[in-house]
């Protein structure tokens, strides 16, 4: 005799068959049929109660980014559904497979203006690659299974809207899942042809100042890229998400371009005559690629990305690492390059400058000593949950990450408040690894209620809050807006985050100067070793990080003309620099040199 099971339980069994271990959400009356099923299946799938649906969606997005596997969040009808959107857009923009289960009033009450009822489909139509409202109890597990396949297929968000009463319907207790061992096969990737490799080598040979601009598509191919850089004498510039994938101690790795990056990467990019973008999604192209003309080669495993950020001189549809390996095998070693030598020297000058900042004894605390201290405690396989803001600049410039580390951020949607949700997801999925969240005070205060989620589930996470009572990233942008005479709307009321944490039963410490760091970090490590979360509040300076974006580089009559942008500090919050040297000195960079001096030393002639 065929047995039956509630449709919501059958649906959860589908999730379990796909390997889902956690679902993040907050209950509501329109989601009770699924909550009932979660009680039934509690030994097989863990419900993580967050204190805001946005946190649940952001945590699911982070889980998908960290693991590459489908992650699940939910919200009830009405505000529970609307609160999911920020996290779902974060997942969409960063190509993370996420399933959102959304409550709806019983189907018998739909279209009657019932309490919390609204047509949810249109709201999710833009964010979702697949969005369906379940029409029968029998179809619920099938629709969820289909949604997971679509989320994987598009590396995006799938939404299933569930009228609450359908979850209670008894349906045949049979396997509804379609998952199979074939789902674990790696996706076949395109490969560059010999003819394409020849074309690339010919364009490199014709160029005088080529650079590699590399994204996270390089995956585990960092060592091969370094070998290629040495062989062809081409410097490497990275996009932000490549952090940790390519050894930053390699002298030819110039770091990152644009506002978060290095002086040297920005300068060298601005005189390059050939840019070879490899596996890179660079959303700031209109700030960087438009500054001067160059020839452009784009290598990407997704041909739909061609021309997304710059017109093509050559597109190569290929996996990034395979392309690098083929280029490395076929290329003949280049003669020592004066341009490469100048780029290396320029970047070494920048690295020496960075090293000089880690001993800054200032109070409030400078960010450089804080990140230097973190480098001393980070495990080789630590996971960093980064919120957005000034900490993005500091992490990319100062934190030492390796391929064995993981880190996660809201990269393209740049949603404030992701640090805590990311850390929760990281610790749940990698319980044996060190997890550190880093947030500014503005971002942290958006979601700090979910510190209690860390405590509830016994998640030993080091939460770092850099507090300076301002939205620093926006403050520095406003400084350069013509027509503004002061800052607007960026000042934050101060608060004691340690006391807030202590009110939740979480230990913490406040640091205001470098001398405070060793004891505070030792206390944090002891607390975490005891299985409890910890909050470290760092009272940090409001001083702007070195604004590489203010440097303007162009070639005039065979020489580099390097100046400070006329919009730099146009609101006169600081004294305007009279010379480039004055600009460097404003940021304790008296040792920094202009690009042309390195070109002169290396004997580079520009034309």
């Amino acid at each position: 005799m065929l047995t039956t099971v509630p449709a919501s339980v059958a649906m959860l069994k589908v999730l379990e068959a796909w390997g889902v271990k956690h679902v993040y959400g907050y209950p509501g009356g329109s989601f009770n049929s699924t909550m009932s099923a979660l009680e039934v299946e509690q030994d097989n799938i863990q419900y993580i109660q967050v204190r805001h649906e946005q946190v649940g969606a952001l945590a699911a997005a982070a889980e998908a980014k960290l693991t590459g596997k489908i992650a699940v969040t939910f919200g009830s009808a009405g505000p529970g559904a609307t609160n999911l959107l920020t996290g779902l857009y974060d997942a969409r923009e960063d190509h993370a497979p996420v399933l959102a289960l959304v409550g709806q009033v019983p189907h018998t009450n739909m279209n009657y203006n019932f309490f919390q009822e609204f047509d949810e489909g249109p709201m999710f139509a833009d964010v979702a690659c697949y969005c369906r409202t379940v029409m029968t109890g029998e179809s619920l597990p099938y629709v969820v299974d289909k949604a997971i396949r679509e989320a994987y297929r598009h590396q995006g968000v799938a939404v299933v809207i569930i009228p609450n009463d359908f979850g209670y319907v008894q349906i045949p207790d049979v396997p509804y899942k379609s998952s199979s061992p074939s789902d674990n096969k790696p996706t076949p990737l395109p490969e560059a042809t010999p003819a394409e490799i020849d074309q690339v080598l010919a364009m490199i040979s014709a160029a005088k100042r080529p650079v590699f601009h590399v994204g996270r598509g390089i995956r585990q191919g960092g060592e091969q890229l370094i070998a290629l850089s040495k062989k062809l004498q081409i410097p490497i510039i990275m996009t932000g998400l490549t952090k940790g994938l390519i050894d930053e101690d390699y002298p030819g790795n110039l770091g990152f371009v644009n506002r978060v990056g290095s002086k040297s990467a920005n300068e060298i990019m601005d005189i390059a005559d050939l840019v070879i973008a490899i596996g890179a999604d660079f959303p700031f192209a209109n700030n960087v690629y438009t500054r001067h003309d160059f020839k452009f080669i784009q290598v990407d495993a997704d041909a739909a990305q061609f021309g997304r950020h710059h017109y093509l001189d050559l597109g190569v549809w290929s996996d990034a690492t395979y392309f690098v390996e083929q280029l490395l095998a076929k290329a003949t070693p280049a003669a020592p390059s004066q341009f490469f030598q100048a780029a290396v020297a320029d970047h070494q000058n920048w690295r020496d400058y960075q090293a000089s900042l880690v001993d800054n004894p200032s109070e409030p605390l400078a960010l450089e000593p804080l990140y230097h201290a973190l480098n001393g405690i980070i495990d080789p396989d630590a996971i960093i949950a980064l919120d957005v803001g000034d900490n993005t600049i500091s992490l990319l410039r100062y934190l030492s990450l390796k391929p064995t580390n993981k880190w996660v951020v809201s990269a393209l949607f740049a949603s404030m408040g992701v640090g805590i949700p990311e850390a929760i997801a990281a610790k749940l999925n990698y319980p044996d690894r060190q997890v550190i969240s880093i947030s500014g005070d503005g971002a942290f205060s958006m979601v700090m209620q979910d510190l209690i989620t860390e405590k509830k589930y016994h998640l030993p996470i080091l939460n770092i809050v850099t507090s300076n009572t301002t939205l620093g990233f926006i403050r520095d942008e406003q400084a350069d807006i013509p027509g503004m005479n002061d800052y607007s709307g960026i000042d934050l009321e101060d608060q004691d985050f340690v006391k807030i944490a202590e009110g939740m039963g979480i230990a913490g410490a406040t640091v205001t100067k470098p001398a405070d760091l060793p004891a505070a970090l030792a206390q944090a490590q002891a607390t975490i070793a005891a299985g409890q979360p910890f909050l470290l509040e760092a009272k940090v300076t409001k001083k702007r990080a070195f604004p590489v974006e203010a440097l303007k580089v162009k070639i005039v009559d065979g020489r580099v003309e390097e100046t400070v942008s006329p919009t730099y500090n146009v609101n006169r919050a600081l004294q305007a620099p009279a010379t480039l040297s004055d600009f460097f000195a404003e940021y304790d960079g008296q040792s920094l040199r202009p690009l042309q001096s390195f070109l002169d030393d290396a004997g580079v002639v520009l034309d």
Side-chain angles (χ1 to χ4, degrees), residues 437-467:
S437 78
I438 306 174
S439 306
D441 47 354
F444 188 83
S445 60
M446 289 183 172
V447 295
M448 61 187 176
Q449 77 283 340
D450 269 278
L451 276 177
I452 198 67
T453 303
E454 297 182 11
K455 180 175 185 290
K456 177 174 181 174
Y457 294 101
H458 308 289
L459 304 177
I461 294 165
L462 171 55
N463 301 278
I464 298 173
V465 186
T466 54
S467 176

PDB file of all heavy atoms in Angstrom, residues 437-467:
ATOM      1  N   SER A 437      35.036  37.860  11.032  1.00  0.00           N
ATOM      2  CA  SER A 437      34.247  38.855  10.298  1.00  0.00           C
ATOM      3  C   SER A 437      34.834  40.239  10.571  1.00  0.00           C
ATOM      4  O   SER A 437      35.268  40.536  11.687  1.00  0.00           O
ATOM      5  CB  SER A 437      32.774  38.813  10.704  1.00  0.00           C
ATOM      6  OG  SER A 437      32.552  39.462  11.939  1.00  0.00           O
ATOM      7  N   ILE A 438      34.834  41.082   9.534  1.00  0.00           N
ATOM      8  CA  ILE A 438      35.386  42.432   9.641  1.00  0.00           C
ATOM      9  C   ILE A 438      34.363  43.398   9.054  1.00  0.00           C
ATOM     10  O   ILE A 438      34.000  43.293   7.888  1.00  0.00           O
ATOM     11  CB  ILE A 438      36.719  42.571   8.891  1.00  0.00           C
ATOM     12  CG1 ILE A 438      37.718  41.503   9.340  1.00  0.00           C
ATOM     13  CG2 ILE A 438      37.303  43.967   9.097  1.00  0.00           C
ATOM     14  CD1 ILE A 438      39.018  41.486   8.530  1.00  0.00           C
ATOM     15  N   SER A 439      33.905  44.340   9.879  1.00  0.00           N
ATOM     16  CA  SER A 439      32.882  45.290   9.454  1.00  0.00           C
ATOM     17  C   SER A 439      33.200  46.681   9.993  1.00  0.00           C
ATOM     18  O   SER A 439      33.787  46.818  11.076  1.00  0.00           O
ATOM     19  CB  SER A 439      31.495  44.894   9.987  1.00  0.00           C
ATOM     20  OG  SER A 439      31.153  43.578   9.655  1.00  0.00           O
ATOM     21  N   GLY A 440      32.779  47.706   9.260  1.00  0.00           N
ATOM     22  CA  GLY A 440      32.782  49.053   9.798  1.00  0.00           C
ATOM     23  C   GLY A 440      31.586  49.246  10.713  1.00  0.00           C
ATOM     24  O   GLY A 440      30.642  48.442  10.722  1.00  0.00           O
ATOM     25  N   ASP A 441      31.600  50.334  11.482  1.00  0.00           N
ATOM     26  CA  ASP A 441      30.507  50.536  12.436  1.00  0.00           C
ATOM     27  C   ASP A 441      29.178  50.792  11.738  1.00  0.00           C
ATOM     28  O   ASP A 441      28.124  50.382  12.237  1.00  0.00           O
ATOM     29  CB  ASP A 441      30.823  51.649  13.439  1.00  0.00           C
ATOM     30  CG  ASP A 441      31.384  52.922  12.814  1.00  0.00           C
ATOM     31  OD1 ASP A 441      31.654  52.938  11.602  1.00  0.00           O
ATOM     32  OD2 ASP A 441      31.561  53.906  13.552  1.00  0.00           O
ATOM     33  N   GLY A 442      29.197  51.423  10.568  1.00  0.00           N
ATOM     34  CA  GLY A 442      27.953  51.637   9.842  1.00  0.00           C
ATOM     35  C   GLY A 442      27.343  50.333   9.369  1.00  0.00           C
ATOM     36  O   GLY A 442      26.140  50.088   9.546  1.00  0.00           O
ATOM     37  N   ALA A 443      28.146  49.482   8.783  1.00  0.00           N
ATOM     38  CA  ALA A 443      27.654  48.203   8.278  1.00  0.00           C
ATOM     39  C   ALA A 443      27.270  47.271   9.418  1.00  0.00           C
ATOM     40  O   ALA A 443      26.233  46.597   9.375  1.00  0.00           O
ATOM     41  CB  ALA A 443      28.716  47.553   7.396  1.00  0.00           C
ATOM     42  N   PHE A 444      28.091  47.226  10.462  1.00  0.00           N
ATOM     43  CA  PHE A 444      27.840  46.309  11.569  1.00  0.00           C
ATOM     44  C   PHE A 444      26.513  46.619  12.252  1.00  0.00           C
ATOM     45  O   PHE A 444      25.757  45.709  12.621  1.00  0.00           O
ATOM     46  CB  PHE A 444      28.990  46.394  12.575  1.00  0.00           C
ATOM     47  CG  PHE A 444      28.948  45.354  13.659  1.00  0.00           C
ATOM     48  CD1 PHE A 444      29.443  44.082  13.435  1.00  0.00           C
ATOM     49  CD2 PHE A 444      28.420  45.648  14.905  1.00  0.00           C
ATOM     50  CE1 PHE A 444      29.406  43.117  14.428  1.00  0.00           C
ATOM     51  CE2 PHE A 444      28.382  44.695  15.905  1.00  0.00           C
ATOM     52  CZ  PHE A 444      28.875  43.427  15.667  1.00  0.00           C
ATOM     53  N   SER A 445      26.215  47.920  12.415  1.00  0.00           N
ATOM     54  CA  SER A 445      25.003  48.291  13.145  1.00  0.00           C
ATOM     55  C   SER A 445      23.735  47.914  12.391  1.00  0.00           C
ATOM     56  O   SER A 445      22.649  47.876  12.975  1.00  0.00           O
ATOM     57  CB  SER A 445      25.003  49.787  13.460  1.00  0.00           C
ATOM     58  OG  SER A 445      25.048  50.563  12.274  1.00  0.00           O
ATOM     59  N   MET A 446      23.837  47.624  11.089  1.00  0.00           N
ATOM     60  CA  MET A 446      22.664  47.203  10.323  1.00  0.00           C
ATOM     61  C   MET A 446      22.187  45.800  10.699  1.00  0.00           C
ATOM     62  O   MET A 446      21.002  45.495  10.555  1.00  0.00           O
ATOM     63  CB  MET A 446      22.985  47.221   8.826  1.00  0.00           C
ATOM     64  CG  MET A 446      23.143  48.605   8.246  1.00  0.00           C
ATOM     65  SD  MET A 446      23.443  48.494   6.461  1.00  0.00           S
ATOM     66  CE  MET A 446      23.336  50.233   6.007  1.00  0.00           C
ATOM     67  N   VAL A 447      23.100  44.964  11.166  1.00  0.00           N
ATOM     68  CA  VAL A 447      22.754  43.547  11.397  1.00  0.00           C
ATOM     69  C   VAL A 447      23.256  43.035  12.741  1.00  0.00           C
ATOM     70  O   VAL A 447      23.251  41.830  12.981  1.00  0.00           O
ATOM     71  CB  VAL A 447      23.338  42.653  10.269  1.00  0.00           C
ATOM     72  CG1 VAL A 447      22.709  42.976   8.933  1.00  0.00           C
ATOM     73  CG2 VAL A 447      24.855  42.791  10.198  1.00  0.00           C
ATOM     74  N   MET A 448      23.655  43.928  13.641  1.00  0.00           N
ATOM     75  CA  MET A 448      24.321  43.456  14.854  1.00  0.00           C
ATOM     76  C   MET A 448      23.400  42.630  15.744  1.00  0.00           C
ATOM     77  O   MET A 448      23.865  41.902  16.626  1.00  0.00           O
ATOM     78  CB  MET A 448      24.916  44.619  15.641  1.00  0.00           C
ATOM     79  CG  MET A 448      23.948  45.646  16.127  1.00  0.00           C
ATOM     80  SD  MET A 448      24.841  47.042  16.862  1.00  0.00           S
ATOM     81  CE  MET A 448      23.479  48.138  17.248  1.00  0.00           C
ATOM     82  N   GLN A 449      22.077  42.705  15.497  1.00  0.00           N
ATOM     83  CA  GLN A 449      21.183  41.860  16.292  1.00  0.00           C
ATOM     84  C   GLN A 449      21.497  40.388  16.103  1.00  0.00           C
ATOM     85  O   GLN A 449      21.230  39.565  16.981  1.00  0.00           O
ATOM     86  CB  GLN A 449      19.719  42.140  15.920  1.00  0.00           C
ATOM     87  CG  GLN A 449      19.230  41.516  14.618  1.00  0.00           C
ATOM     88  CD  GLN A 449      19.683  42.243  13.367  1.00  0.00           C
ATOM     89  OE1 GLN A 449      20.049  43.419  13.445  1.00  0.00           O
ATOM     90  NE2 GLN A 449      19.655  41.579  12.229  1.00  0.00           N
ATOM     91  N   ASP A 450      22.107  40.040  14.960  1.00  0.00           N
ATOM     92  CA  ASP A 450      22.370  38.624  14.710  1.00  0.00           C
ATOM     93  C   ASP A 450      23.675  38.138  15.313  1.00  0.00           C
ATOM     94  O   ASP A 450      24.071  36.991  15.087  1.00  0.00           O
ATOM     95  CB  ASP A 450      22.273  38.315  13.222  1.00  0.00           C
ATOM     96  CG  ASP A 450      20.852  37.906  12.839  1.00  0.00           C
ATOM     97  OD1 ASP A 450      20.514  36.730  13.044  1.00  0.00           O
ATOM     98  OD2 ASP A 450      20.075  38.769  12.403  1.00  0.00           O
ATOM     99  N   LEU A 451      24.313  38.960  16.148  1.00  0.00           N
ATOM    100  CA  LEU A 451      25.338  38.404  17.033  1.00  0.00           C
ATOM    101  C   LEU A 451      24.724  37.308  17.904  1.00  0.00           C
ATOM    102  O   LEU A 451      25.375  36.315  18.238  1.00  0.00           O
ATOM    103  CB  LEU A 451      25.927  39.501  17.927  1.00  0.00           C
ATOM    104  CG  LEU A 451      27.045  40.370  17.375  1.00  0.00           C
ATOM    105  CD1 LEU A 451      27.416  41.434  18.403  1.00  0.00           C
ATOM    106  CD2 LEU A 451      28.268  39.546  16.997  1.00  0.00           C
ATOM    107  N   ILE A 452      23.455  37.515  18.274  1.00  0.00           N
ATOM    108  CA  ILE A 452      22.799  36.530  19.136  1.00  0.00           C
ATOM    109  C   ILE A 452      22.638  35.190  18.420  1.00  0.00           C
ATOM    110  O   ILE A 452      22.576  34.134  19.058  1.00  0.00           O
ATOM    111  CB  ILE A 452      21.437  37.070  19.625  1.00  0.00           C
ATOM    112  CG1 ILE A 452      20.944  36.294  20.842  1.00  0.00           C
ATOM    113  CG2 ILE A 452      20.399  37.048  18.524  1.00  0.00           C
ATOM    114  CD1 ILE A 452      21.782  36.486  22.076  1.00  0.00           C
ATOM    115  N   THR A 453      22.582  35.224  17.082  1.00  0.00           N
ATOM    116  CA  THR A 453      22.524  33.970  16.321  1.00  0.00           C
ATOM    117  C   THR A 453      23.835  33.207  16.474  1.00  0.00           C
ATOM    118  O   THR A 453      23.841  31.977  16.594  1.00  0.00           O
ATOM    119  CB  THR A 453      22.223  34.268  14.845  1.00  0.00           C
ATOM    120  OG1 THR A 453      21.001  35.011  14.752  1.00  0.00           O
ATOM    121  CG2 THR A 453      22.091  32.992  14.035  1.00  0.00           C
ATOM    122  N   GLU A 454      24.945  33.918  16.469  1.00  0.00           N
ATOM    123  CA  GLU A 454      26.236  33.267  16.705  1.00  0.00           C
ATOM    124  C   GLU A 454      26.251  32.598  18.073  1.00  0.00           C
ATOM    125  O   GLU A 454      26.734  31.470  18.227  1.00  0.00           O
ATOM    126  CB  GLU A 454      27.370  34.283  16.606  1.00  0.00           C
ATOM    127  CG  GLU A 454      27.542  34.923  15.234  1.00  0.00           C
ATOM    128  CD  GLU A 454      28.709  35.893  15.189  1.00  0.00           C
ATOM    129  OE1 GLU A 454      29.507  35.902  16.151  1.00  0.00           O
ATOM    130  OE2 GLU A 454      28.819  36.643  14.199  1.00  0.00           O
ATOM    131  N   LYS A 455      25.724  33.295  19.075  1.00  0.00           N
ATOM    132  CA  LYS A 455      25.705  32.731  20.423  1.00  0.00           C
ATOM    133  C   LYS A 455      24.763  31.533  20.499  1.00  0.00           C
ATOM    134  O   LYS A 455      25.089  30.495  21.087  1.00  0.00           O
ATOM    135  CB  LYS A 455      25.290  33.790  21.435  1.00  0.00           C
ATOM    136  CG  LYS A 455      25.246  33.289  22.882  1.00  0.00           C
ATOM    137  CD  LYS A 455      24.954  34.432  23.841  1.00  0.00           C
ATOM    138  CE  LYS A 455      25.024  33.956  25.284  1.00  0.00           C
ATOM    139  NZ  LYS A 455      23.889  33.062  25.614  1.00  0.00           N
ATOM    140  N   LYS A 456      23.578  31.666  19.898  1.00  0.00           N
ATOM    141  CA  LYS A 456      22.572  30.605  19.993  1.00  0.00           C
ATOM    142  C   LYS A 456      23.088  29.290  19.436  1.00  0.00           C
ATOM    143  O   LYS A 456      22.822  28.216  20.001  1.00  0.00           O
ATOM    144  CB  LYS A 456      21.308  31.032  19.245  1.00  0.00           C
ATOM    145  CG  LYS A 456      20.216  29.960  19.231  1.00  0.00           C
ATOM    146  CD  LYS A 456      18.917  30.460  18.620  1.00  0.00           C
ATOM    147  CE  LYS A 456      17.857  29.369  18.660  1.00  0.00           C
ATOM    148  NZ  LYS A 456      16.537  29.835  18.208  1.00  0.00           N
ATOM    149  N   TYR A 457      23.827  29.379  18.333  1.00  0.00           N
ATOM    150  CA  TYR A 457      24.295  28.149  17.678  1.00  0.00           C
ATOM    151  C   TYR A 457      25.751  27.834  18.015  1.00  0.00           C
ATOM    152  O   TYR A 457      26.370  27.015  17.352  1.00  0.00           O
ATOM    153  CB  TYR A 457      24.066  28.256  16.168  1.00  0.00           C
ATOM    154  CG  TYR A 457      22.596  28.303  15.821  1.00  0.00           C
ATOM    155  CD1 TYR A 457      21.970  29.506  15.518  1.00  0.00           C
ATOM    156  CD2 TYR A 457      21.812  27.152  15.861  1.00  0.00           C
ATOM    157  CE1 TYR A 457      20.604  29.565  15.236  1.00  0.00           C
ATOM    158  CE2 TYR A 457      20.449  27.189  15.588  1.00  0.00           C
ATOM    159  CZ  TYR A 457      19.857  28.402  15.274  1.00  0.00           C
ATOM    160  OH  TYR A 457      18.506  28.446  15.006  1.00  0.00           O
ATOM    161  N   HIS A 458      26.270  28.507  19.049  1.00  0.00           N
ATOM    162  CA  HIS A 458      27.615  28.211  19.561  1.00  0.00           C
ATOM    163  C   HIS A 458      28.650  28.292  18.435  1.00  0.00           C
ATOM    164  O   HIS A 458      29.433  27.352  18.209  1.00  0.00           O
ATOM    165  CB  HIS A 458      27.641  26.828  20.233  1.00  0.00           C
ATOM    166  CG  HIS A 458      26.570  26.648  21.254  1.00  0.00           C
ATOM    167  ND1 HIS A 458      26.565  27.292  22.467  1.00  0.00           N
ATOM    168  CD2 HIS A 458      25.421  25.906  21.228  1.00  0.00           C
ATOM    169  CE1 HIS A 458      25.493  26.944  23.160  1.00  0.00           C
ATOM    170  NE2 HIS A 458      24.777  26.112  22.435  1.00  0.00           N
ATOM    171  N   LEU A 459      28.681  29.427  17.769  1.00  0.00           N
ATOM    172  CA  LEU A 459      29.592  29.634  16.647  1.00  0.00           C
ATOM    173  C   LEU A 459      30.748  30.518  17.097  1.00  0.00           C
ATOM    174  O   LEU A 459      30.588  31.734  17.250  1.00  0.00           O
ATOM    175  CB  LEU A 459      28.843  30.277  15.467  1.00  0.00           C
ATOM    176  CG  LEU A 459      27.604  29.528  14.957  1.00  0.00           C
ATOM    177  CD1 LEU A 459      26.925  30.311  13.850  1.00  0.00           C
ATOM    178  CD2 LEU A 459      27.982  28.129  14.482  1.00  0.00           C
ATOM    179  N   PRO A 460      31.914  29.948  17.331  1.00  0.00           N
ATOM    180  CA  PRO A 460      33.056  30.739  17.799  1.00  0.00           C
ATOM    181  C   PRO A 460      33.673  31.568  16.674  1.00  0.00           C
ATOM    182  O   PRO A 460      34.581  31.123  15.958  1.00  0.00           O
ATOM    183  CB  PRO A 460      34.028  29.674  18.325  1.00  0.00           C
ATOM    184  CG  PRO A 460      33.676  28.441  17.570  1.00  0.00           C
ATOM    185  CD  PRO A 460      32.206  28.510  17.279  1.00  0.00           C
ATOM    186  N   ILE A 461      33.185  32.769  16.522  1.00  0.00           N
ATOM    187  CA  ILE A 461      33.586  33.682  15.449  1.00  0.00           C
ATOM    188  C   ILE A 461      34.231  34.913  16.072  1.00  0.00           C
ATOM    189  O   ILE A 461      33.726  35.449  17.064  1.00  0.00           O
ATOM    190  CB  ILE A 461      32.356  34.101  14.614  1.00  0.00           C
ATOM    191  CG1 ILE A 461      31.778  32.898  13.863  1.00  0.00           C
ATOM    192  CG2 ILE A 461      32.694  35.237  13.641  1.00  0.00           C
ATOM    193  CD1 ILE A 461      30.383  33.136  13.318  1.00  0.00           C
ATOM    194  N   LEU A 462      35.334  35.373  15.490  1.00  0.00           N
ATOM    195  CA  LEU A 462      35.930  36.648  15.887  1.00  0.00           C
ATOM    196  C   LEU A 462      35.296  37.744  15.045  1.00  0.00           C
ATOM    197  O   LEU A 462      35.494  37.804  13.827  1.00  0.00           O
ATOM    198  CB  LEU A 462      37.445  36.629  15.697  1.00  0.00           C
ATOM    199  CG  LEU A 462      38.170  37.976  15.881  1.00  0.00           C
ATOM    200  CD1 LEU A 462      37.857  38.592  17.250  1.00  0.00           C
ATOM    201  CD2 LEU A 462      39.675  37.810  15.689  1.00  0.00           C
ATOM    202  N   ASN A 463      34.498  38.604  15.698  1.00  0.00           N
ATOM    203  CA  ASN A 463      33.844  39.719  15.024  1.00  0.00           C
ATOM    204  C   ASN A 463      34.626  41.002  15.296  1.00  0.00           C
ATOM    205  O   ASN A 463      34.768  41.411  16.451  1.00  0.00           O
ATOM    206  CB  ASN A 463      32.416  39.895  15.543  1.00  0.00           C
ATOM    207  CG  ASN A 463      31.573  38.657  15.350  1.00  0.00           C
ATOM    208  OD1 ASN A 463      31.034  38.424  14.280  1.00  0.00           O
ATOM    209  ND2 ASN A 463      31.462  37.842  16.408  1.00  0.00           N
ATOM    210  N   ILE A 464      35.133  41.624  14.243  1.00  0.00           N
ATOM    211  CA  ILE A 464      35.902  42.863  14.382  1.00  0.00           C
ATOM    212  C   ILE A 464      35.071  44.014  13.827  1.00  0.00           C
ATOM    213  O   ILE A 464      34.588  43.961  12.695  1.00  0.00           O
ATOM    214  CB  ILE A 464      37.244  42.765  13.656  1.00  0.00           C
ATOM    215  CG1 ILE A 464      38.103  41.650  14.277  1.00  0.00           C
ATOM    216  CG2 ILE A 464      37.985  44.097  13.699  1.00  0.00           C
ATOM    217  CD1 ILE A 464      39.376  41.366  13.533  1.00  0.00           C
ATOM    218  N   VAL A 465      34.907  45.057  14.648  1.00  0.00           N
ATOM    219  CA  VAL A 465      34.208  46.268  14.223  1.00  0.00           C
ATOM    220  C   VAL A 465      35.208  47.416  14.232  1.00  0.00           C
ATOM    221  O   VAL A 465      35.792  47.732  15.274  1.00  0.00           O
ATOM    222  CB  VAL A 465      33.042  46.612  15.162  1.00  0.00           C
ATOM    223  CG1 VAL A 465      32.259  47.798  14.603  1.00  0.00           C
ATOM    224  CG2 VAL A 465      32.136  45.426  15.352  1.00  0.00           C
ATOM    225  N   THR A 466      35.426  48.017  13.081  1.00  0.00           N
ATOM    226  CA  THR A 466      36.271  49.208  13.004  1.00  0.00           C
ATOM    227  C   THR A 466      35.355  50.418  13.118  1.00  0.00           C
ATOM    228  O   THR A 466      34.554  50.701  12.237  1.00  0.00           O
ATOM    229  CB  THR A 466      37.072  49.243  11.694  1.00  0.00           C
ATOM    230  OG1 THR A 466      36.176  49.119  10.584  1.00  0.00           O
ATOM    231  CG2 THR A 466      38.075  48.103  11.651  1.00  0.00           C
ATOM    232  N   SER A 467      35.472  51.127  14.221  1.00  0.00           N
ATOM    233  CA  SER A 467      34.525  52.173  14.577  1.00  0.00           C
ATOM    234  C   SER A 467      35.179  53.545  14.528  1.00  0.00           C
ATOM    235  O   SER A 467      36.174  53.793  15.217  1.00  0.00           O
ATOM    236  CB  SER A 467      33.977  51.901  15.987  1.00  0.00           C
ATOM    237  OG  SER A 467      33.126  52.934  16.400  1.00  0.00           O
TER     238      SER A 467
END
